[in-house]
Amino acid sequence: MAGLLVKIFVWFLESRIFGPVLVYFLKKNNLIQKLVSNAEIGEPPVFDPSHPFEELNEQEVIEIDPNLSVPEKVQKAVNAITPPVEELVDGTKPSFRRWTIMDYSRAYSSGVLTPLKVAERFIAAVEESSARPLPMDFFINCNFEDILRQAKESKLRYERGEPISALDGVPVAVKDEIDCSPYPTTGGTKWLHKFRTCQGDACCVMRLRSCGAILVGKTNMHELGAGTSGINPHYGTARNPYDSKRIAGGSSSGSAAVVSAGLCPVALGVDGGGSVRMPAALCGVVGLKPTFGRVPHEGVLPLNWTVGMVGILAGTIEDAFIVYAAMSGQPVPHGPTLPLPKEYYPLLKSTTPISGIRLAKYGKWFDDCSDEIKTRCSHALYQLRKQYGWETLEVTIPEIEVMRLAHYTTIASECHTSLSSYLEKLDVAELGWDARVALGVYGSFSSKDYIKAQRIRNRQMQFHRKIFAKADVIVSPTIGVTAYEIFDDARETGELDYINGAALVRYSIAGNFLGLPTITIPVGYDKLGLPIGLQFIGKPWSEPTLIHIAHAMQALCISECRKPEVFYDLLKED
């Protein structure tokens, strides 16, 4: 539904007479009552997905001193990375590759370009992208004066021969769910920043700023993160650079799109239900969601406490790794009884990937996607087995649909609770139409529903623990469909598309509900040239192994990387 149909639906949903009946049938039709509310579950509730740290004996890693400064951690990551391969195994060159953090760093250090010149090009590109017949609407807020100020300071550091780190002068965008001075944090709304003022940088942003990164603005997002399309009626719809008539995906739509379009090598997102990985896959970039508790959450809108996590969108796995190194590590213990987890970085310098990797695949779930996605992801998995000798184990993940509904119950309850004091004062007309539907359903869950969902969380943690006893990662497609078209009537009201929405979120839930580290890598395109991603779900605290696996997958697929329809080359030679 979109346009007038959405408005009619909202009228019924908000009616005192028809609303409760409509919500009852919605939840019954989606089996929430049967599989969550009224389910008999023996396990006690687990109210957050914290995992005690355990040594995993990962291959090709180095332990990181927790007392290192953030720039020192970034340098450790840079030292662990192999320079980009200009030629493929067969001697050919990639037809296209995005500029990386190290490309920016080398251009600045050599004097070929300055951060100020790149900032000026960035501003011109943003203005051009907004003036297109189909505006790309990458950003909610972008302060050009502040960008130029940061760039001038970075330029002076390079002129003195004193850059802070490899991130010095590199443009980084931030989802408008994360505090970043001097911007308000809107959460994709027209009202939230009026109730909750931004007091400064979020911890993750503060760490990037301490490395000299240029924070270039707040990216567009689905209102309140309450959807998978990224369509925002207030700030326009961030469009997919591979086809500007199609969605970029939600809710971190703008962050995925700016990386895909070459405006930034990296951007920050928040992933509560695949909100980093879905748009990353739809826009053909890397999306990394770390283990729950690995990256501090201070300064992020508290829309969902136990499933939402700061994530990274990047053009390459190396760039995702560098930014992960800058942001990871808790300043204080993240739980009352849990010690700080140790940090290890993967060593990506070896030309031979790590050996003996066991990939768990649940065939029925893996194949529950479009034929083109299934074919492309199956081929990528075949390449991993053939090239590296890795093993695929057929497994069963029980009660996947139950887990999806329990996650929905959790994220809905937490979002509505976090906003409840604001919603009491809010004129409902300030909300987008699809957000009104979401909040109307979110507010219908009871304490019994929430506790039942947390009992299911415990049960699923046990299921996944058994799988990880015999496998290193679980592999699946990232999305069930590629990017679909944006219809004009949806741009005003948003859309209620539960078929495509369910297909987009199908593979994302375990990473959030169970707090597991997860990564998506682009592995090809459908017949329309739209990107397809492959996802790896890891054991708690196994980011080094995930990065190793993603790096190996990237090496096999880099030759197929295609230039988007909308792309800005900020490092081109004059």
Side-chain angles (χ1 to χ4, degrees):
M1 282 187 272
L4 180 60
L5 284 176
V6 171
K7 294 180 180 181
I8 294 171
F9 187 85
V10 170
W11 185 86
F12 278 103
L13 186 67
E14 294 177 351
S15 163
R16 292 186 179 182
I17 297 173
F18 300 110
V21 176
L22 183 57
V23 169
Y24 173 82
F25 281 107
L26 280 174
K27 292 165 78 173
K28 183 178 181 181
N29 187 54
N30 281 282
L31 300 179
I32 289 177
Q33 293 166 336
K34 177 181 178 181
L35 298 181
V36 179
S37 306
N38 300 323
E40 293 295 327
I41 306 158
E43 289 79 4
V46 169
F47 289 103
D48 75 64
S50 295
H51 297 272
F53 179 79
E54 56 181 290
E55 292 284 359
L56 298 175
N57 298 317
E58 296 173 285
Q59 303 175 52
E60 295 293 318
V61 299
I62 54 169
E63 185 172 355
I64 300 302
D65 182 347
N67 297 313
L68 291 179
S69 68
V70 177
E72 288 171 334
K73 292 175 67 178
V74 166
Q75 188 57 47
K76 288 283 188 182
V78 169
N79 292 343
I81 293 173
T82 303
V85 177
E86 296 297 334
E87 290 192 354
L88 304 176
V89 175
D90 61 2
T92 62
K93 290 189 176 183
S95 59
F96 167 74
R97 76 173 182 90
R98 293 180 174 85
W99 297 120
T100 68
I101 289 170
M102 296 312 300
D103 289 326
Y104 280 87
S105 181
R106 282 188 287 267
Y108 298 153
S109 296
S110 67
V112 171
L113 283 173
T114 67
L116 182 57
K117 181 64 174 178
V118 167
E120 291 168 348
R121 289 179 176 179
F122 171 87
I123 291 169
V126 171
E127 291 178 326
E128 193 279 337
S129 73
S130 300
R132 296 172 64 88
L134 292 176
M136 298 303 288
D137 291 324
F138 292 133
F139 289 92
I140 286 176
N141 212 327
C142 202
N143 186 319
F144 294 159
E145 288 186 7
D146 184 67
I147 293 169
L148 292 173
R149 177 192 61 78
Q150 295 178 73
K152 289 174 184 175
E153 292 174 358
S154 178
K155 178 175 179 285
L156 290 173
R157 289 194 291 269
Y158 276 99
E159 287 175 348
R160 295 195 302 265
E162 299 173 353
I164 301 172
S165 75
L167 280 166
D168 205 333
V170 176
V172 177
V174 179
K175 184 182 182 182
D176 207 4
E177 195 176 335
I178 304 171
D179 288 342
C180 178
S181 296
Y183 305 100
T185 303
T186 72
T189 73
K190 285 289 190 179
W191 54 270
L192 187 52
H193 58 288
K194 301 173 186 176
F195 295 110
R196 178 195 174 275
T197 57
C198 176
Q199 301 298 321
D201 290 336
C203 183
C204 55
V205 172
M206 191 183 309
R207 289 178 174 180
L208 291 174
R209 200 185 293 276
S210 74
C211 292
I214 299 177
L215 286 308
V216 294
K218 305 298 284 292
T219 53
N220 207 344
M221 60 177 286
H222 205 110
E223 185 173 8
L224 296 173
T228 57
S229 68
I231 294 172
N232 189 306
H234 308 299
Y235 300 103
T237 298
R239 296 176 178 273
N240 195 314
Y242 279 90
D243 184 343
S244 55
K245 296 184 179 67
R246 296 176 182 269
I247 64 165
S251 60
S252 305
S253 50
S255 289
V258 296
V259 172
S260 180
L263 286 171
C264 303
V266 285
L268 301 189
V270 179
D271 193 316
S275 288
V276 163
R277 291 160 287 147
M278 280 187 290
L282 290 167
C283 293
V285 298
V286 174
L288 170 62
K289 187 210 75 63
T291 304
F292 182 81
R294 179 66 95 178
V295 174
H297 216 64
E298 290 85 357
V300 180
L301 285 180
L303 296 178
N304 29 74
W305 305 286
T306 71
V307 295
M309 304 157 212
V310 175
I312 302 159
L313 300 107
T316 66
I317 186 60
E318 291 89 348
D319 284 355
F321 171 31
I322 290 171
V323 171
Y324 165 78
M327 297 197 309
S328 63
Q330 289 285 358
V332 294
H334 68 287
T337 59
L338 297 176
L340 282 172
K342 292 182 181 179
E343 281 195 85
Y344 294 93
Y345 289 173
L347 295 170
L348 302 180
K349 285 186 172 293
S350 174
T351 56
T352 304
I354 55 178
S355 61
I357 293 297
R358 298 161 299 170
L359 305 153
K361 175 190 174 187
Y362 179 21
K364 183 178 179 182
W365 183 52
F366 189 101
D367 295 342
D368 192 14
C369 55
S370 74
D371 289 342
E372 290 183 275
I373 291 176
K374 178 175 67 176
T375 299
R376 182 62 253 181
C377 289
S378 296
H379 179 68
L381 196 53
Y382 167 77
Q383 286 179 292
L384 288 176
R385 293 198 305 267
K386 179 182 177 183
Q387 187 73 23
Y388 307 129
W390 294 351
E391 181 182 2
T392 300
L393 307 175
E394 287 292 337
V395 300
T396 298
I397 306 174
E399 303 174 11
I400 283 181
E401 180 65 7
V402 176
M403 178 169 61
R404 183 184 73 82
L405 296 172
H407 168 268
Y408 182 79
T409 302
T410 302
I411 195 171
S413 300
E414 293 181 357
C415 182
H416 192 271
T417 301
S418 72
L419 297 171
S420 58
S421 61
Y422 307 143
L423 296 175
E424 294 172 1
K425 311 167 191 174
L426 184 68
D427 179 357
V428 71
E430 292 195 63
L431 283 163
W433 292 93
D434 64 335
R436 287 166 69 172
V437 172
L439 290 174
V441 176
Y442 288 2
S444 70
F445 290 101
S446 67
S447 58
K448 181 186 81 169
D449 297 331
Y450 185 78
I451 291 173
K452 283 286 183 75
Q454 308 322 300
R455 298 178 79 169
I456 292 168
R457 174 183 266 162
N458 185 350
R459 187 173 172 85
Q460 279 292 332
M461 289 174 93
Q462 294 180 41
F463 288 153
H464 280 70
R465 198 171 293 125
K466 290 178 181 177
I467 292 172
F468 286 129
K470 55 185 178 182
D472 298 291
V473 294
I474 299 170
V475 62
S476 76
T478 311
I479 45 176
V481 293
T482 52
Y484 56 86
E485 286 193 41
I486 302 164
F487 295 103
D488 287 342
D489 53 357
R491 290 166 56 200
E492 177 194 350
T493 62
E495 62 182 15
L496 306 180
D497 187 344
Y498 293 109
I499 295 174
N500 278 321
L504 287 174
V505 80
R506 179 164 296 135
Y507 301 102
S508 298
I509 301 306
N512 301 103
F513 196 49
L514 310 181
L516 302 173
T518 316
I519 196 164
T520 177
I521 289 287
V523 293
Y525 305 85
D526 69 7
K527 62 185 177 184
L528 297 176
L530 300 171
I532 292 169
L534 187 69
Q535 175 179 249
F536 301 98
I537 305 168
K539 303 174 183 179
W541 315 115
S542 69
E543 284 87 354
T545 293
L546 271 185
I547 292 170
H548 267 299
I549 292 171
H551 187 251
M553 186 77 264
Q554 177 179 269
L556 295 178
C557 297
I558 193 170
S559 62
E560 299 182 28
C561 189
R562 302 180 188 176
K563 187 176 181 179
E565 167 194 292
V566 178
F567 184 76
Y568 300 96
D569 187 346
L570 300 190
L571 294 188
K572 64 184 177 183
E573 294 184 14
D574 290 325

